[in-house]
Amino acid sequence: MIAVDEKGFYGNFGGAYIPEMLHPNIEELRDNYERIVAEPDFQAQFKSLLKDYVGRPTPLFYAQRLSEKYGAKIYLKREDLCHTGAHKVNNTIGQIILAKKLGKKRIIAETGAGQHGVATATVCALMGMDCTVYMGKHDMERQRPNVERMRILGAKVVPATSGSQTLKDATNEAMRQWINNPVDTHYIIGSVVGPHPYPEMVARFQSVISEEIKAQLLEKEGRENPDLVIACVGGGSNAAGAFYHYYNTPEVRLIAVEAAGLGVFSGKSAATTALGKPGILHGSKTLLMQTEDGQVTEPYSISAGLDYPGIGPVHAHLFETGRGEFVGVEDEDAMLAGIEVSRLEGIIPAIETAHAFAALNQVKYKSDDVIVINLSGRGDKDLDTYIKWGNY
Ligand SMILES: *Cc1c(COP(=O)(O)O)cnc(C)c1O
């Protein structure tokens, strides 16, 4: 792991830049989360639900045909096989157990494409908790099936009608609601973003991914460490989970893949490290895409899960220190990679994940290097986008 300091900084990034009104909520969480998460009862419940409800450990699959094509030993960490179809549920399981132990009765969450909303609504149904998900009105229209999924699971979905009516506005609305209900409500953030302690907490819940990779690779290759780990980065939670136990192993290259949309400099992209400058977004100091005078720029990506103007502070730190290698993949190349993996391995990846696969064409590696790609989610939710793109 990368040490986060007492104030929640990874080097120059992180912290808790929040309005006065939110201090009691954040302090309650910060003062209790480390202790609760370390308790044997928490660990027992977390492990039991990850095993029997989520379906962990997820397999580490040797992708033979992909390996032959690229001249490396490529393994896929199958987070697409998690219940609800992506890694996000690892975090929502952890946070809902924590919320119960803090005596909370209600859960709120923000969602963009709806994947985190669905993962939250799922664990709320499981635990019998009241659930409200804030979602930009525009996103609700674009992502109708996920809205209905959340409703079937018993969650209220509330449209955020300010600004561009997308993820950033939903996050603002959830924060506002949390300020108004500090005693009975827990806010489940969906990625390694937000004020301290969220980034570290979410990364810790997702770190089960690299914990399993180490054990599985040892069994298959006789060593715990691959040469490269590749993962896509929206806010960065699946990448943080896949990198976590390798941060201090410099011989393992950490490849973080961002969405370059229609081209990094096209004005239609979400390539934060290429375009961003330090700034404050959703309670933490990080790299973010912004105008000269500090207005957040609207991001763009064909994949809703990567369509975010910032990255988690841990990734800003990986970028600044050079520990992580950042790659931008354009829409077109991601779609081609998604089709290629479908044809070579019989796995239709989420379009977010397809960006990670496309990075195989952009990074250099030696033949017979062992590469682990974190297969963050399955492509069912993206069928419409695949169909509209059409080129298959
Ligand atoms: C949400 C999502 C992502 C992006 O979120 P991170 O926090 O960066 O992991 C990536 N892949 C899938 C399948 C997702 O649902």
Side-chain angles (χ1 to χ4, degrees):
M1 58 177 283
I2 286 190
V4 62
D5 75 15
E6 207 165 283
K7 294 209 157 83
F9 278 87
Y10 303 88
N12 293 318
F13 301 104
Y17 297 83
I18 49 172
E20 197 74 51
M21 306 271 285
L22 213 53
H23 279 191
N25 310 43
I26 289 295
E27 268 162 32
E28 183 192 22
L29 194 61
R30 206 184 50 209
D31 293 346
N32 291 290
Y33 123 82
E34 298 249 17
R35 174 181 54 78
I36 292 176
V37 167
E39 283 170 6
D41 186 61
F42 178 96
Q43 285 298 323
Q45 274 193 58
F46 185 51
K47 287 192 176 129
S48 155
L49 284 173
L50 287 184
K51 175 168 180 280
D52 296 329
Y53 189 70
V54 174
R56 305 205 71 92
T58 58
L60 184 71
F61 174 67
Y62 178 63
Q64 187 171 344
R65 302 221 306 141
L66 205 62
S67 296
E68 277 162 15
K69 159 122 205 229
Y70 285 94
K73 285 180 138 177
I74 301 174
Y75 285 90
L76 310 182
K77 182 57 174 161
R78 300 290 309 275
E79 294 301 296
D80 59 317
L81 296 178
C82 289
H83 179 45
T84 71
H87 66 288
K88 290 208 171 68
V89 71
N90 301 325
N91 167 48
T92 60
I93 292 266
Q95 287 204 48
I96 197 112
I97 301 171
L98 179 66
K100 279 232 149 171
K101 288 189 170 283
L102 287 169
K104 305 294 177 183
K105 303 276 178 282
R106 277 182 75 226
I107 297 294
I108 57 173
E110 85 295 338
T111 197
Q115 291 304 107
H116 173 57
V118 169
T120 301
T122 298
V123 297
C124 286
L126 176 72
M127 296 295 215
M129 298 271 261
D130 186 84
C131 179
T132 305
V133 178
Y134 296 91
M135 188 169 184
K137 188 160 171 286
H138 181 52
D139 286 339
M140 283 180 72
E141 287 153 12
R142 290 195 286 186
Q143 307 288 338
R144 187 77 200 291
N146 273 343
V147 173
E148 298 311 323
R149 257 179 219 129
M150 288 184 264
R151 288 181 172 149
I152 289 169
L153 290 160
K156 267 194 295 296
V157 185
V158 178
T161 54
S162 62
S164 55
Q165 309 191 346
T166 58
L167 177 59
K168 143 178 85 56
D169 312 293
T171 307
N172 291 339
E173 190 54 36
M175 292 250 181
R176 230 188 327 270
Q177 292 300 322
W178 200 27
I179 290 171
N180 292 334
N181 303 279
V183 179
D184 70 339
T185 300
H186 176 69
Y187 176 18
I188 300 189
I189 292 183
S191 191
V192 288
V193 302
H196 177 61
Y198 277 101
E200 182 56 20
M201 180 168 72
V202 175
R204 212 195 285 188
F205 293 145
Q206 293 291 359
S207 71
V208 64
I209 298 172
S210 49
E211 191 183 316
E212 289 175 6
I213 293 173
K214 286 184 102 166
Q216 291 167 322
L217 211 55
L218 184 63
E219 194 186 304
K220 289 174 197 296
E221 287 288 329
R223 56 169 165 136
E224 291 186 330
N225 300 336
D227 297 294
L228 291 83
V229 182
I230 306 180
C232 64
V233 173
S237 68
N238 86 86
F243 296 169
Y244 198 90
H245 291 285
Y246 294 121
Y247 283 139
N248 297 327
T249 314
E251 59 270 30
V252 180
R253 291 168 61 194
L254 308 177
I255 316 289
V257 185
E258 297 183 310
L262 302 182
V264 172
F265 301 106
S266 67
K268 297 276 267 172
S269 107
T272 304
T273 56
L275 300 169
K277 293 192 188 63
I280 292 174
L281 181 66
H282 297 142
S284 74
K285 187 174 176 204
T286 189
L287 289 172
L288 75 132
M289 291 164 43
Q290 52 191 308
T291 60
E292 289 289 319
D293 51 359
Q295 294 288 338
V296 178
T297 316
E298 280 299 322
Y300 163 81
S301 165
I302 195 168
S303 89
L306 303 185
D307 196 349
Y308 187 69
I311 46 172
V314 69
H315 295 295
H317 179 63
L318 288 178
F319 177 72
E320 192 180 66
T321 57
R323 175 68 188 96
E325 298 170 48
F326 285 73
V327 177
V329 164
E330 297 183 13
D331 285 0
E332 173 90 5
D333 294 328
M335 296 307 293
L336 288 169
I339 303 294
E340 181 176 80
V341 178
S342 303
R343 297 282 163 88
L344 288 179
E345 299 295 340
I347 298 169
I348 305 176
I351 294 173
E352 290 84 357
T353 318
H355 286 71
F357 281 102
L360 285 171
N361 294 309
Q362 296 185 35
V363 292
K364 292 211 161 55
Y365 46 84
K366 296 191 295 294
S367 75
D368 290 331
D369 266 358
V370 172
I371 301 177
V372 174
I373 299 178
N374 197 38
L375 216 172
S376 58
R378 58 179 175 241
D380 308 28
K381 70 181 176 64
D382 295 320
L383 218 55
D384 276 352
T385 311
Y386 275 113
I387 292 166
K388 226 177 264 162
W389 189 74
N391 203 357
Y392 53 85

